[in-house]
Amino acid sequence: MGGKLSALDPMQVEVPELKALLDRDPYLRPYEREFRRRYACFQDYVDKVNEYEGGMDNFTQGYKCFGIHVNTDNSVTAREWAPGAVQVYLTGEFNGWNREGHPYKKLEYGKWELQIPANPDGSCPIAHRSEVKVVIRTKNGELVDRLSPWADYVLQPPRVEGFTFKQRFWNPPSREKYQFKHDRAKKPLSLRIYECHVGIATEELKVGTYKEFGSKIIPRIVKQGYNAIQLMAIMEHAYYASFGYQVTSFYAASSRYGTPEELKELIDIAHAHDLYVLLDVVHSHASKNVLDGLNQFDGTNSCFFHDGPRGEHCLWGSRLFNYSEYEVLRFLLSNLRWYCEEYRFDGFRFDGVTSMLYHSRGIGEGFGGHYDEYFGLNVDTEALVYLMVANHMLHELYPDVITIAEDVSGMPGMCRPVSEGGLGFDYRLGMAIPDNWIKLLKEVKDDDWNIGNIVHALTNRRWQEKTVAYAESHDQALVGDKTIAFWLMDKEMYTHMSTASEPSAVIDRGLALHKMIRLITHGLGGEAYLNFMGNEFGHPEWLDFPRAGNNDSYHYARRQWHLVDDDVLRYKFLNAFDADMNGLEERHGWLHKDSGYVSWKHEADKVVAFERAELLFVFNFHPTQSFPDYRIGVEVPGEYRVVLDTDFEKYGGFYRVDSNVPHFTYPEEFAGRRNSIKLYLPSRTAQVYERV
């Protein structure tokens, strides 16, 4: 990768707070040299940017230089980076589609520039919303049409015109530009994330809009007690069914849902409700599309990507970025700044981090936890250092930013500051937690659930590296799988979810376990919590986008809000529990306090008890056995009362524990705690007790 520090013996490289990392986990000491080597590569990147670009702030505003821009006199300046091109042209409606009428001037380092004067009447020569294309003359003399990598608005054509997205010049008059009215959201102490997709958020058989989401869905999210939203599939993607993970235009907010100004309005509405807004950002790979993607932009197989096998993801069918290329670094880092500055996103969830970190892309890797897996030759240093630079930049420029890594490998230091030699993320997704729940529901009767296994899955995380816990996300809702609600209740959901229908043991079990799974995940699984849109009330069926395989049906690409709004249906019980669970966390803040102390896990009884944030959580997963006067250890003596019970009638339960009855501790040590308390534990219920 090159640089002054990279050329040194790594042990000579100073990492400001590395000692803190190694003292926290002495098992990392054998890998000190590798931590120092990585930091040297990171610092070389930063030093290079400081020397040649005047600092990271300037370097990461590439969107102000590249792409098509209107100057103060209404003339236009266009710039591109196309190192493999012989010549670059701009064409479009503005010049009658003369493909060679407006050639760019070649600059140094593969850059190209074009100046177009204003019209004689002083107006801009390129009309707002008019179509434009970048034309590349390749080394074999061929002229090929491309969309600018920096395009900020691309539009899906009518079906009769084909499938290739078209770049539309976005330059609305000032009266049509959205003006933000509200400040950015503050970083929440406890992060409760509502993962959502604008397109499927409507009840109707269509693609939902930014405006509909802002007016109809955000109030629901706020009412449920979430303080953050994670917007998926915003970066433009030609294939709707890719769920937004095959990005074609990185700077264009998806036009399926509306205009850029309407996305700004949505985010402003979220901020008006004190919602923190995360963008699901995809910098791990890019769509293979050529005509409306980044692939072969300059007529070569490289440019933004590695050439050869290293530039291809064999499972995803996509291209892989060359993170060592200076202009790729500018493009991706500026992309983060673009969404912060142009749209006022507050933070990011980075997709596919595991694929970035390893040359194997994580394919076939078991990641058993041995540290050699994280510090060997399989690690892709260039991608890892890009993530360090990205997190360093974001946290320097935006003090309230939150970054979340989608990583299944468990890379040590992932969620520690770059100054410690870490990657700089604030949280990682606890991906093993939903996998464990689905595995249990698929393969094991709850009579045989291993309590120790459940607790281990919920608590197995690195100390002082924060985890986002979730019982299920969009992954578990996709076609071919089932949501937790559907695994629990299946076809009975079609016949017995009405309060007027005959009682059903299947539905009673499903409602009970749905609430218990969420509560123990929320209370014990991490330092943040995530829920996918609709799953809070047990949305039935899977999620499937319109595609050739289902005759372009929208039946499963929507959210059936009428189910939870209908007072006759039992979905309301799960919804009410979810809101009260979030409300209790808001009052006590267990997510941002010390991890739960598990004092009791009994295999035969199927009982779990833990304390967190001065609350006592007790779970009885036994399918049939209730326990009177069950003794539980508790550290702080006093009077305790039930403040949340999965068995409350308002949650569809049977109210077997009287919330008005006080419970007093005994000064008798039990289960390693100084005091104990005796409680009634009905089967398949969980209670949270608060000290009065």
Side-chain angles (χ1 to χ4, degrees), residues 57-76:
D57 188 21
N58 289 335
F59 182 59
T60 56
Q61 296 185 68
Y63 52 85
K64 291 185 176 180
C65 176
F66 291 91
I68 306 172
H69 297 277
V70 180
N71 303 312
T72 54
D73 62 354
N74 271 340
S75 65
V76 167

Side-chain angles (χ1 to χ4, degrees), residues 155-180:
L155 203 61
Q156 188 172 16
R159 185 64 60 89
V160 294
E161 296 181 21
F163 296 92
T164 304
F165 276 60
K166 299 177 183 295
Q167 180 178 349
R168 298 282 180 170
F169 184 57
W170 190 256
N171 182 36
S174 57
R175 66 181 181 277
E176 294 179 15
K177 292 181 180 179
Y178 185 80
Q179 302 298 320
F180 289 101

Side-chain angles (χ1 to χ4, degrees), residues 64-110:
K64 291 185 176 180
C65 176
F66 291 91
I68 306 172
H69 297 277
V70 180
N71 303 312
T72 54
D73 62 354
N74 271 340
S75 65
V76 167
T77 300
R79 295 186 186 90
E80 298 294 346
W81 177 66
V86 173
Q87 181 60 55
V88 179
Y89 308 90
L90 186 68
T91 188
E93 295 175 53
F94 76 96
N95 71 355
W97 293 106
N98 182 346
R99 296 178 83 196
E100 299 178 66
H102 285 79
Y104 286 66
K105 177 185 176 183
K106 189 172 185 178
L107 307 177
E108 290 183 304
Y109 310 116

Side-chain angles (χ1 to χ4, degrees), residues 245-518:
Y245 293 121
Q246 291 277 349
V247 176
T248 45
S249 292
F250 283 73
Y251 283 79
S254 182
S255 58
R256 284 186 178 87
Y257 323 127
T259 68
E261 310 311 311
E262 288 166 347
L263 173 58
K264 293 173 189 176
E265 182 182 25
L266 185 163
I267 294 172
D268 206 26
I269 291 171
H271 287 159
H273 288 86
D274 294 323
L275 285 175
Y276 191 93
V277 186
L278 293 155
L279 174 67
D280 197 345
V281 68
V282 185
H283 281 183
S284 48
H285 65 131
S287 167
K288 265 191 175 179
N289 286 21
V290 173
L291 295 179
D292 54 8
L294 285 184
N295 194 16
Q296 299 180 5
F297 170 69
D298 66 351
T300 73
N301 202 44
S302 51
C303 196
F304 288 93
F305 309 108
H306 289 290
D307 197 3
R310 192 179 176 190
E312 307 270 347
H313 198 295
C314 63
L315 289 186
W316 296 346
S318 53
R319 297 302 311 274
L320 298 173
F321 287 105
N322 180 358
Y323 300 103
S324 65
E325 171 57 60
Y326 195 69
E327 292 302 326
V328 173
L329 199 69
R330 187 199 306 272
F331 179 80
L332 293 175
L333 293 174
S334 297
N335 194 227
L336 300 172
R337 289 293 306 278
W338 168 256
Y339 284 106
C340 288
E341 296 293 331
E342 184 72 7
Y343 293 104
R344 294 198 181 182
F345 279 94
D346 301 301
F348 300 94
R349 179 265 201 189
F350 281 72
D351 175 70
V353 168
T354 304
S355 175
M356 298 174 71
L357 290 178
Y358 306 96
H359 291 296
S360 66
R361 309 299 155 211
I363 300 168
E365 298 285 346
F367 296 111
H370 195 290
Y371 282 3
D372 284 354
E373 296 176 305
Y374 309 117
F375 301 100
L377 294 177
N378 186 33
V379 175
D380 188 332
T381 298
E382 294 165 2
L384 182 145
V385 172
Y386 163 69
L387 292 171
M388 293 173 71
V389 174
N391 277 308
H392 165 75
M393 178 271 292
L394 286 170
H395 287 87
E396 282 286 313
L397 296 175
Y398 307 101
D400 279 338
V401 78
I402 291 173
T403 59
I404 302 170
E406 188 208 29
D407 171 48
V408 72
S409 75
M411 168 76 75
M414 174 75 70
C415 302
R416 295 305 305 170
V418 173
S419 58
E420 290 186 11
L423 272 70
F425 285 98
D426 297 286
Y427 297 85
R428 65 153 47 92
L429 286 175
M431 300 176 72
I433 296 174
D435 289 348
N436 191 62
W437 285 125
I438 296 299
K439 182 179 175 65
L440 283 175
L441 293 169
K442 280 183 178 179
E443 301 175 6
V444 185
K445 294 191 300 181
D446 50 306
D447 310 52
D448 301 321
W449 282 5
N450 186 298
I451 296 301
N453 170 273
I454 292 172
V455 171
H456 176 74
L458 290 167
T459 57
N460 182 27
R461 57 186 183 273
R462 292 187 61 79
W463 183 48
Q464 292 193 1
E465 295 200 34
K466 296 177 182 177
T467 293
V468 178
Y470 57 107
E472 55 184 335
S473 69
H474 66 274
D475 289 328
Q476 286 74 36
L478 291 173
V479 63
D481 208 333
K482 298 179 182 179
T483 62
I484 284 179
F486 221 54
W487 277 114
L488 287 167
M489 296 176 279
D490 208 78
K491 64 182 184 297
E492 296 269 338
M493 296 185 78
Y494 297 116
T495 57
H496 287 79
M497 284 299 278
S498 170
T499 54
S501 64
E502 290 291 322
S504 165
V506 171
I507 296 298
D508 288 344
R509 169 185 177 270
L511 296 180
L513 288 177
H514 196 275
K515 291 175 286 187
M516 294 180 72
I517 287 169
R518 273 164 167 67

Side-chain angles (χ1 to χ4, degrees), residues 582-615:
N582 283 328
L584 185 63
E585 198 289 324
E586 173 67 20
R587 294 194 297 278
H588 288 269
W590 63 69
L591 289 172
H592 69 266
K593 296 183 179 176
D594 289 342
S595 301
Y597 181 89
V598 181
S599 62
W600 193 252
K601 47 184 178 180
H602 197 288
E603 289 299 337
D605 295 346
K606 306 297 182 194
V607 172
V608 179
F610 62 89
E611 295 156 272
R612 192 173 186 185
E614 300 181 347
L615 295 171

Side-chain angles (χ1 to χ4, degrees), residues 600-645:
W600 193 252
K601 47 184 178 180
H602 197 288
E603 289 299 337
D605 295 346
K606 306 297 182 194
V607 172
V608 179
F610 62 89
E611 295 156 272
R612 192 173 186 185
E614 300 181 347
L615 295 171
L616 173 64
F617 295 74
V618 185
F619 296 78
N620 177 11
F621 281 98
H622 203 289
T624 57
Q625 185 70 50
S626 298
F627 301 102
D629 294 330
Y630 199 94
R631 194 176 183 193
I632 298 291
V634 61
E635 188 68 12
V636 181
E639 177 187 343
Y640 286 76
R641 289 180 182 267
V642 174
V643 287
L644 186 67
D645 185 351

